Amino acid sequence: ANATGWIFDSDSIVGIGRVPEHIFIQGGGLIAVEYAFIFERLGAKVTLALREERVLQGKDVDIDISAAVGARLEERGVEIRYGDGNVVKVTPPAEHGGVGSVELGSGTVVEAGAFLSALGRGGAAKGLNVENAGLRPPLPSGHLAVDYNSLVAESTGGDCRVFVAGGTGKDW
């Protein structure tokens, strides 16, 4: 089996260098949904398997927006496997560039030319001693605690103001 060039994460997928005929994407969050749209528009058949009952669930996205995004994916031909995102077996292709398979908890086997695991990212603030800079300790997820009204990292008091940009995490 040859997993090189077949199994990707959200960092390595940008270097895929090809459009697979069929891509299997595990996850239902922002990155998984984004890549489902991208690969579909590039002409790949896309299977999106998520543990949740709707895309973007638990991502602080309004349920109506989530439903609209899921419906749009399905309109574009993306196969969404709701509540079936537990991968129990991965069989990489026998040769580089071949087709591998992914077995889901339901017993369904999906054959694909690429597998993207997009299950989310953790924060990296643990161990940085942000408390020494006057910030609250990182959340258990490793993200900075953020005031989502002002997008300022929460401080322990004083004049420390750190503005956040990009992806921020909540302690779900």
Side-chain angles (χ1 to χ4, degrees), residues 120-154:
R121 295 179 173 268
K126 288 183 181 178
L128 295 179
N129 297 318
V130 296
E131 302 88 336
N132 292 344
L135 298 176
R136 286 196 38 215
L139 300 170
S141 64
H143 293 96
L144 290 176
V146 173
D147 175 339
Y148 285 91
N149 294 314
S150 64
L151 291 180
V152 173
E154 294 180 3

Side-chain angles (χ1 to χ4, degrees), residues 85-157:
N86 288 326
V87 172
V88 296
K89 183 178 179 184
V90 174
T91 306
E95 55 202 39
H96 185 71
V99 173
S101 66
V102 180
E103 183 179 342
L104 302 173
S106 66
T108 300
V109 176
V110 180
E111 293 186 344
F115 171 21
L116 168 60
S117 178
L119 293 178
R121 295 179 173 268
K126 288 183 181 178
L128 295 179
N129 297 318
V130 296
E131 302 88 336
N132 292 344
L135 298 176
R136 286 196 38 215
L139 300 170
S141 64
H143 293 96
L144 290 176
V146 173
D147 175 339
Y148 285 91
N149 294 314
S150 64
L151 291 180
V152 173
E154 294 180 3
S155 70
T156 55

